[in-house]
């Protein structure tokens, strides 16, 4: 066990004197956890293979899983890559600094120890000002995966990092809770058509607007089959995993269609049930249907003696009742109509259920467009693709 220093940093008053020790640790081959706008990262010098090895050891992560090199300014890209294709240039101009990682062909100075043996390198310029200043002061690109133990939900606060990394790394920079809450979008520009390897806050819709044709790695949209080889090696692990078993409840296309006919018999029937039974009379029919099914599955599991956690939204919170002597914990992830609030709280809620010792989680599903795609990607992975369609 080493002693882990924790340094509190005020985002509105970032002083170099508070970051110089972190920069020195990084230059000397040590590990520093730091905030970014997406999740906390666990940083090491990206050009130092020995330092990269320490990251894998601290996380307990398979070392074939490549790391993202974080930079502080655009001029740091050129030395790390073979070339910057047109799509890469456009992406950098539009979305850096920000929650976007770009995969390029790597140059000779990037060690295979950082790229998990690949000839490509993932690069990201975070917008978080603490991250940016720390990287600039370190003077080297900083390799950083999320600062969690492998298999645990990504950390969105310094306390999460502390839980997982205390005693394993030299320093944690505490810059408060992160903004976005899910990891960066990853886009590979090494082929003719850019490919999204991981959805995030820079959405598919935004990428298509900017680049025209964009493909999506099949490992994102469905369960992994043994014959699939996801281009981001990290996507093959069960990742983002809570300790509990988990199931997601989603509306089927058929139900969605029926709900669209506002004057139809189906909607009228649901509205009648809401009027008769719902705790919140203004709940939307689609939200009510989800809540009913989630509650049913959760009650069944709790009845069997399992410790159950329910993930709901502010819109449906009133429909769940926590009592009857059964273990039945309910947490809202945020406002369904504002998906950024859901992304922001997602990993915190999964961690909370871990801490409560929950063994079965039932979660409401979300849209699969815009930011919903990133949210559903993380949730379906956490659930091992167990989805109930109603
Ligand atoms: O938001 C983020 O990206 C956070 C913060 C700390 O910046 N970092 C992060 O890193 O999520 P990590 O290591 O948890 O996820 C990196 C993902 C993995 O799935 C990995 O396989 C993929 O990026 N990746 C890295 N380099 C790659 C490469 N050269 N080719 C394909 N995938 C790559
Ligand atoms: Mg991670």
């Amino acid at each position: 066990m080493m002693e882990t220093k924790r340094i509190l940093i005020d985002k509105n008053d970032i002083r170099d004197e508070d970051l110089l020790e972190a920069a020195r640790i990084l230059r000397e081959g040590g590990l520093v956890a730091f905030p970014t706008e997406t999740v906390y990262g666990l940083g090491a010098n990206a050009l130092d293979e020995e330092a990269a090895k320490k990251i894998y050891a601290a996380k307990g992560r398979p070392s074939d899983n490549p790391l993202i090199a974080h930079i502080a300014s655009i001029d740091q890209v050129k030395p790390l890559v073979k070339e910057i294709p047109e799509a890469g240039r456009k992406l950098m101009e539009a979305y850096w600094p920000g929650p976007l990682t770009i995969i390029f062909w790597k140059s000779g100075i990037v060690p295979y120890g950082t790229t998990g043996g690949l000839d490509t390198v993932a690069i990201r310029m975070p917008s978080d000002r603490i991250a940016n200043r720390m990287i600039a002061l370190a003077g080297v690109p900083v390799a950083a995966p999320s600062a969690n133990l492998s298999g645990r939900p990504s950390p969105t606060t310094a306390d999460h990092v502390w839980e997982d990394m205390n005693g394993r790394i030299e320093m944690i920079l505490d810059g408060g809770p992160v903004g976005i809450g899910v990891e960066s979008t990853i886009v590979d520009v090494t082929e003719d058509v850019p490919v999204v390897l991981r959805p995030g806050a820079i959405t598919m819709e935004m990428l298509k607007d900017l680049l025209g044709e964009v493909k999506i790695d099949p490992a994102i949209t469905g369960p992994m089959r043994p014959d699939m080889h996801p281009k981001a090696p990290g996507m093959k692990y069960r990742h983002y995993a809570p300790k509990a078993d988990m199931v997601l409840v989603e509306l089927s296309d058929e139900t969605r269609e029926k709900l669209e006919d506002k004057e139809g018999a189906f909607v009228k029937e649901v509205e009648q049930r809401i009027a008769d039974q719902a705790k919140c009379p203004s709940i939307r029919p689609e939200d009510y249907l989800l809540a009913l099914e989630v509650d049913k599955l959760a009650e069944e599991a709790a009845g069997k003696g399992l410790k159950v956690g329910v993930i709901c939204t502010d819109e449906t919170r009133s429909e769940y009742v926590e009592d009857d002597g059964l273990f039945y914990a309910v947490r809202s992830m945020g406002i369904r109509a504002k998906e950024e609030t859901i992304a922001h709280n997602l990993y915190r809620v999964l961690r909370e259920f871990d801490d409560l010792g929950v063994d079965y989680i039932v979660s409401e599903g979300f849209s699969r467009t815009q930011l919903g795609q990133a949210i559903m990607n993380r949730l379906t992975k956490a659930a091992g693709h167990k989805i109930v369609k109603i």
Side-chain angles (χ1 to χ4, degrees):
M1 282 270 285
M2 67 176 88
E3 196 189 327
T4 303
K5 257 198 190 177
R6 181 162 169 169
I7 295 189
L8 193 63
I9 301 194
D10 177 356
K11 270 197 163 41
N12 300 309
D13 182 19
I14 300 170
R15 296 166 191 226
D16 283 359
E17 66 212 55
D18 294 335
L19 296 173
L20 284 170
E21 193 181 349
R24 181 184 55 74
I25 293 169
L26 289 169
R27 265 194 314 275
E28 291 175 358
L31 302 182
V32 176
F34 61 99
T36 83
E37 67 276 29
T38 57
V39 299
Y40 271 76
L42 177 57
N45 179 353
L47 302 180
D48 175 349
E49 216 151 13
E50 291 306 312
K53 272 191 201 151
K54 290 186 197 164
I55 290 183
Y56 295 114
K59 279 183 66 92
R61 170 179 177 144
S63 61
D64 68 338
N65 196 355
L67 305 171
I68 297 170
H70 295 67
I71 56 171
S73 58
I74 293 283
D75 55 295
Q76 283 184 289
V77 179
K78 250 201 175 149
L80 302 178
V81 305
K82 259 201 180 140
E83 52 176 8
I84 299 178
E86 176 71 4
R89 195 186 50 73
K90 281 191 186 167
L91 286 169
M92 287 158 57
E93 270 171 21
Y95 293 117
W96 275 5
L100 175 74
T101 296
I102 309 174
I103 312 264
F104 300 95
W105 292 110
K106 81 173 194 71
S107 72
I109 69 163
V110 183
Y112 285 111
T114 299
T115 68
L118 298 174
D119 287 314
T120 53
V121 59
I123 306 180
R124 166 160 123 78
M125 183 157 102
S127 61
D128 182 280
R129 288 168 47 237
I130 298 171
N132 184 280
R133 192 63 195 148
M134 181 201 75
I135 299 164
L137 290 171
V140 291
V142 174
S146 47
N148 51 282
L149 287 174
S150 196
R152 291 270 281 156
S154 294
T156 55
T157 66
D159 281 342
H160 296 164
V161 180
W162 185 260
E163 282 167 28
D164 284 12
M165 292 296 158
N166 181 25
R168 295 171 165 260
I169 63 178
E170 277 83 357
M171 181 177 278
I172 298 174
L173 299 179
D174 179 353
V178 301
I180 294 172
V182 293
E183 302 86 346
S184 62
T185 306
I186 304 180
V187 183
D188 183 340
V189 298
T190 60
E191 286 170 29
D192 289 342
V193 180
V195 188
V196 174
L197 307 188
R198 180 173 72 186
I202 306 299
T203 64
M204 197 67 184
E205 289 84 352
M206 291 157 80
L207 295 170
K208 282 185 172 157
D209 271 353
L210 181 75
L211 302 172
E213 195 187 353
V214 179
K215 288 197 277 201
I216 184 146
D217 195 68
I220 290 168
T221 42
M224 275 294 297
R225 294 189 314 264
D227 59 323
M228 278 188 187
H229 301 282
K231 288 204 68 182
M235 302 301 280
K236 74 174 176 266
Y237 302 108
R238 190 184 161 225
H239 237 189
Y240 323 121
K243 287 174 189 155
D245 274 335
M246 178 164 160
V247 62
L248 262 171
V249 178
E250 213 182 1
L251 296 179
S252 66
D253 291 343
E254 199 193 339
T255 305
R256 276 181 215 275
E257 258 169 48
K258 284 196 281 183
L259 283 166
E260 258 158 44
D261 181 6
K262 303 276 180 236
E263 301 307 315
F266 183 73
V267 171
K268 292 286 165 214
E269 194 188 309
V270 181
E271 282 172 351
Q272 190 57 53
R273 281 180 81 177
I274 291 174
D276 294 343
Q277 297 164 14
K279 311 258 176 350
C280 167
S282 61
I283 190 170
R284 297 188 318 164
E286 49 269 56
D287 297 344
Y288 189 61
L289 288 176
L290 272 184
L292 278 182
E293 182 67 18
V294 169
D295 183 60
K296 190 187 100 192
L297 294 173
E299 293 261 353
E300 275 170 18
K304 286 185 204 148
L306 293 175
K307 288 183 164 184
V308 176
V310 161
I311 296 179
C312 69
T313 52
D314 287 5
E315 283 89 337
T316 54
R317 179 64 189 86
S318 57
E319 303 307 313
Y320 300 92
V321 185
E322 266 182 334
D323 61 356
D324 357 74
L326 300 173
F327 192 104
Y328 183 108
V330 182
R331 296 290 180 273
S332 170
M333 257 189 344
I335 304 166
R336 176 177 293 280
K338 291 188 188 153
E339 284 189 327
E340 65 278 12
T341 64
I342 307 288
H344 182 79
N345 294 315
L346 192 151
Y347 287 129
R348 181 181 56 73
V349 171
L350 291 181
R351 259 180 196 262
E352 206 179 323
F353 282 153
D354 268 5
D355 297 343
L356 285 171
V358 161
D359 32 43
Y360 192 66
I361 299 173
V362 190
S363 174
E364 295 178 11
F366 295 87
S367 77
R368 286 179 182 264
T369 57
Q370 310 276 2
L371 187 57
Q373 186 176 40
I375 294 166
M376 283 300 275
N377 170 256
R378 300 334 186 254
L379 286 177
T380 51
K381 279 175 146 270
H385 294 276
K386 286 189 289 298
I387 298 177
V388 171
K389 291 230 186 203
I390 55 164

